[in-house]
Amino acid sequence: MNDITDDSFDSWDDSNEGDRIATAELILLLRRQGIRDARVLSALERVPRRLFLSANSHTLAYADRALPIECGQTISAPSIVALMTEALEIEPTHRVLEIGTGSGYQAAVLSKLAEHVDTMERYRTLMELAEQRMATLGITNVNFHLGDGFEGLPEKAPFDRIIVTAAAPELPQTLAGQLVGGGIMVVPVGPSGGIQELIKVRRRGSRLEETALCSVRFVPMVPGVASRL
Ligand code: SAH
């Protein structure tokens, strides 16, 4: 169910006036940084980022910076979440695949814009935490999958949009093959631990149109499901 018309922030028991004010300030910052799409800004405004972080990061929850999460992974800076979400050009009827659930924050933002979100993670711990957060927030249009994002989700393909939130060593062709014609994928491509390029890919028949958006630094995509955690 698409709930972009609900003001669900109001119904969240765990968020408070402080979250609301800090989120509003963050949205102003994102606007100044050039995020123009009102639907994207509204989606970000309705997801309290603090609830996706452990207690020791709460004071930095609304700063525009990446922060550590469980399993040695990272939640992206809000400006990167906004940029990637805007680049996806999501419409309310869309089915979106996310690779790299992490905290679940990006998936929650996507849930406000798309009809349905499937999100894949290789750490069971992260997947289960994200699932709990989504339930707490009353978000019902996200499904969680433990698996290897390099393989995507062939049984549910094709997707209107795909977002990869870990760096791929090269353009993941299997995932591109799971896009509908005209579909868009946003993916950071480049070496682990180095500077990567955020690439926007549009599928045109069997051809892929690629546009480089900016330089980024993401944790790497790692093949296979994690055997521990
Ligand atoms: N989108 C997340 C941030 C993700 S960090 C958020 O909003 O918090 C990148 C995530 O990608 C990590 O959780 C990492 O475990 C996951 N990941 C890395 N390689 C993967 C793979 N092959 N398949 C699925 N997930 C992967």
Side-chain angles (χ1 to χ4, degrees):
M1 260 272 293
N2 182 331
D3 65 350
I4 58 170
T5 53
D6 290 352
D7 187 4
S8 16
F9 206 129
D10 288 337
S11 63
W12 290 344
D13 297 339
D14 288 346
S15 65
N16 57 34
E17 193 57 21
D19 288 302
R20 217 178 298 259
I21 293 167
T23 303
E25 282 170 1
L26 178 60
I27 299 305
L28 284 176
L29 176 76
L30 297 176
R31 215 188 272 277
R32 278 201 300 275
Q33 288 183 356
I35 304 298
R36 290 277 169 264
D37 188 327
R39 294 180 67 241
V40 170
L41 290 166
S42 160
L44 278 138
E45 195 165 17
R46 288 179 296 140
V47 180
R49 189 165 180 261
R50 182 177 61 85
L51 303 194
F52 293 83
L53 294 163
S54 57
N56 54 1
S57 293
H58 279 189
T59 52
L60 292 171
Y62 299 102
D64 187 25
R65 47 180 281 188
L67 292 168
I69 57 171
E70 297 78 4
C71 304
Q73 304 303 310
T74 310
I75 182 174
S76 305
S79 53
I80 293 292
V81 173
L83 183 85
M84 292 175 84
T85 307
E86 188 168 61
L88 282 173
E89 301 175 30
I90 297 173
E91 290 169 20
T93 56
H94 280 168
R95 295 174 56 246
V96 181
L97 173 64
E98 179 192 32
I99 304 301
T101 310
S103 67
Y105 177 71
Q106 172 78 70
V109 171
L110 296 170
S111 81
K112 303 292 177 193
L113 295 164
E115 169 106 8
H116 187 81
V117 179
D118 286 291
T119 182
M120 277 186 97
E121 174 54 57
R122 63 185 294 279
Y123 283 104
R124 181 179 294 277
T125 306
L126 289 175
M127 185 192 73
E128 289 178 351
L129 276 169
E131 217 167 356
Q132 283 166 24
R133 288 168 181 144
M134 229 57 84
T136 305
L137 298 179
I139 293 171
T140 55
N141 61 340
V142 180
N143 280 353
F144 295 84
H145 306 268
L146 184 68
D148 183 353
F150 280 108
E151 290 166 17
L153 213 50
E155 66 275 22
K156 297 191 93 184
F159 294 93
D160 299 294
R161 301 292 187 255
I162 299 179
I163 176 171
V164 184
T165 63
E170 53 201 45
L171 199 79
Q173 295 293 337
T174 305
L175 291 177
Q178 293 179 12
L179 278 176
V180 299
I184 297 174
M185 171 165 71
V186 175
V187 51
V189 177
S192 165
I195 301 291
Q196 304 124 11
E197 280 296 304
L198 191 60
I199 309 286
K200 176 172 177 172
V201 180
R202 195 185 281 268
R203 180 171 176 176
R204 301 262 185 224
S206 57
R207 218 164 41 81
L208 298 177
E209 262 174 32
E210 294 176 35
T211 316
L213 299 179
C214 60
S215 297
V216 287
R217 198 187 270 268
F218 275 81
V219 296
M221 257 182 111
V222 177
V225 171
S227 53
R228 302 182 58 212
L229 301 179

